[in-house]
Each structure stands twice: as C-alpha cells, then as structure tokens.
Amino acid sequence: MIARLAALFCLAAAPLAAQDLPDLQGREVVVATENAYPPLQFVDPASGTPVGWEYDALAEIAARLNMTVVYETIAWDAMIPAVSEGQMDMGMTGITIREDRAEMVDFSAPYMRSEMVMLVRGDEARFDDAASFAADPDLLMGAQPGTTPFYVGVYEVLDGDETNPRIALFDTFGASVQALRTGDVDLVLTDGTAGAGYVAATDGALKIVGDKLGAEDFGFIFPKGSELVAPVDAAIAALQADGTLEALNTKWFLDYKMGE
C-alpha cells in the first residue's frame, strides 16, 4: 500500500539540467517550518534533530542554487501570515496549494501529490467510511484548524459547520494522532503521506478506512512577488528529472519507520 501511495507523490516536471539552474551566490534564505508533520518534517526523538523529506529536498535545492538556508520554527496558524508579511523568505510544512492561500502567498511548483485518507484505530468497527462516520453523532474527529484536513472534514464528511462540536481542535497534527490513539477522538483525516507512515509505524494500532477523499498538491510558500519562486521551481524540476525526488520517496515512505 505504501508503495502505491509513494508512486503518486511525485508530480511530473520538465527536465532541467543542473548547469541551467540559477546561482543565488550564497544568499541567505530564512525558512519557516513547524517540525510537526512526519515524515515531511519533524524532530527525531532519538537525536533531537529536525529531519524529514522536506529537509532533505530543500538541502538539495539549496546546494544546487547556491543558497544558505536558515530555519525558524513557527506554529502552523502563524506560518502563512508570517511569510505573507515577509518575516520569513519561505515556508514548508506539507502546505496544500489552494486558491485562498494563493491570495496571501506565492506557491512553488508542486513537489508532491497525496490523497486524503481516513486514519482510525486498528480495532475500529463502528464505521468504515465517511458516511457512516457522519451518521453517528457520538463519533469525534480530530483536526488542526486552518488545514486542509480540517476543511475536508467540515465540508466533505460533516455538515459544513466549521464550529461543529464533533471536531476537536489540536495545535499540531501529531497531537490529533495521539488523541486518536488514546481514544479521545475517533478519526483523523490526513494525506496519504503521513497516514501511510503512521500505519506502518504502529504495528496495527492504526489503519486507514474508506475511500480516498480527493488529492492535494504540496508546495513551498513565499511572500507575494518573491524572486525566489522561479529558481526554486527550476530546482524542483531538476530534482524530478534526475530521480532525486523518487529517491527521497523511497527513503522516507518505504525504508523509514517512524518511531524507530
């Protein structure tokens, strides 16, 4: 299953030779990250070091563009406004490309595609799809406000009421998954990237049920009009063309087991 999901993650991009990439001459780029969305970016519990797919991808981009990356950790709900206001040069945390967000920030070309899935406990038997979850008023969903899973939960699973008490709000995605595991909520919506990783790491404690609820594209974000967008887009195309993104998918979605 993880292999099938991983096959969907990389988007086709036009080939671009490394020598054609712009040289940013060591320019410092301040990047906002949440470090709370494994396996894209998170703090390794063993070493205390931030790691993940996005860190590896951005390290490759920085090397090829000759730019120096400085990371700043920021809460999800503050990230887009902070980047929009120019407090940071760039942001990454599995950010879905959406028209409403594009009014505030510029997006890079998509670097990953994932499909929304329903993550539940391994012994869940009360529902097996979105309709049966919605039909039981005693069931709760965990979500991080302002995220794609939150809006999909509100508008595609429940009744379109963003204040619906059946949605328990959490500061981070990881906190919502922990609440799922302890029984405080019954469902967490997530993209297949994180969902498959959690299933693989929990030895049956979590599983995915129901049909996929659509696809989403991820991109890096920048202040409107940023001159970094074109170079980063060119680097993303190069990473796709030479197989680097495919290698990162293998590393983080097939070989890596979260929690080990």
Side-chain angles (χ1 to χ4, degrees):
M1 175 180 180
I2 300 177
R4 291 197 300 271
L5 287 170
L8 296 174
F9 291 151
C10 279
L11 297 176
L16 189 65
Q19 61 266 29
D20 295 332
L21 295 177
D23 184 348
L24 299 186
Q25 301 182 336
R27 172 176 173 173
E28 182 177 284
V29 176
V30 180
V31 179
T33 182
E34 188 186 19
N35 285 337
Y37 196 26
L40 294 185
Q41 29 74 23
F42 62 103
V43 176
D44 182 356
S47 66
T49 303
V51 296
W53 192 102
E54 287 180 327
Y55 276 104
D56 284 0
L58 194 53
E60 284 282 349
I61 290 170
R64 297 181 190 212
L65 295 179
N66 187 20
M67 71 182 192
T68 301
V69 177
V70 176
Y71 291 102
E72 290 194 12
T73 304
I74 187 171
W76 159 253
D77 58 359
M79 182 179 295
I80 293 178
V83 172
S84 175
E85 294 166 6
Q87 298 176 29
M88 287 90 166
D89 301 307
M90 187 173 173
M92 69 175 198
T93 183
I95 304 172
T96 302
I97 299 173
R98 289 184 6 191
E99 290 184 5
D100 58 332
R101 292 172 180 167
E103 294 177 359
M104 299 178 61
V105 294
D106 283 342
F107 279 95
S108 71
Y111 57 80
M112 183 178 292
R113 171 166 287 179
S114 184
E115 294 174 302
M116 193 70 63
V117 296
M118 300 176 63
L119 189 65
V120 303
R121 287 183 296 280
D123 60 356
E124 181 59 70
R126 295 167 296 175
F127 65 96
D128 58 9
D129 59 15
S132 53
F133 174 86
D136 187 339
D138 294 328
L139 299 176
L140 298 178
M141 176 189 307
Q144 192 178 8
T147 62
T148 297
F150 171 80
Y151 291 116
V152 171
V154 169
Y155 293 102
E156 296 189 27
V157 178
L158 296 175
D159 58 1
D161 179 4
E162 295 185 14
T163 64
N164 191 315
R166 292 183 59 188
I167 303 179
L169 301 179
F170 296 89
D171 291 336
T172 67
F173 172 74
S176 68
V177 175
Q178 182 60 29
L180 175 64
R181 296 193 65 174
T182 58
D184 294 324
V185 300
D186 307 296
L187 168 67
V188 169
L189 297 183
T190 181
D191 64 276
T193 306
Y198 274 103
V199 170
T202 56
D203 295 324
L206 298 174
K207 65 181 180 181
I208 292 171
V209 300
D211 294 331
K212 297 178 178 65
L213 299 174
E216 55 183 4
D217 294 336
F218 294 158
F220 300 114
I221 60 171
F222 307 83
K224 297 292 288 184
S226 172
E227 60 186 18
L228 290 172
V229 176
V232 170
D233 281 355
I236 291 171
L239 295 180
Q240 171 64 33
D242 68 13
T244 300
L245 296 187
E246 181 180 356
L248 291 181
N249 287 342
T250 299
K251 174 182 178 179
W252 289 105
F253 304 137
L254 301 182
D255 295 342
Y256 181 72
K257 297 285 189 178
M258 285 176 292
E260 295 182 352

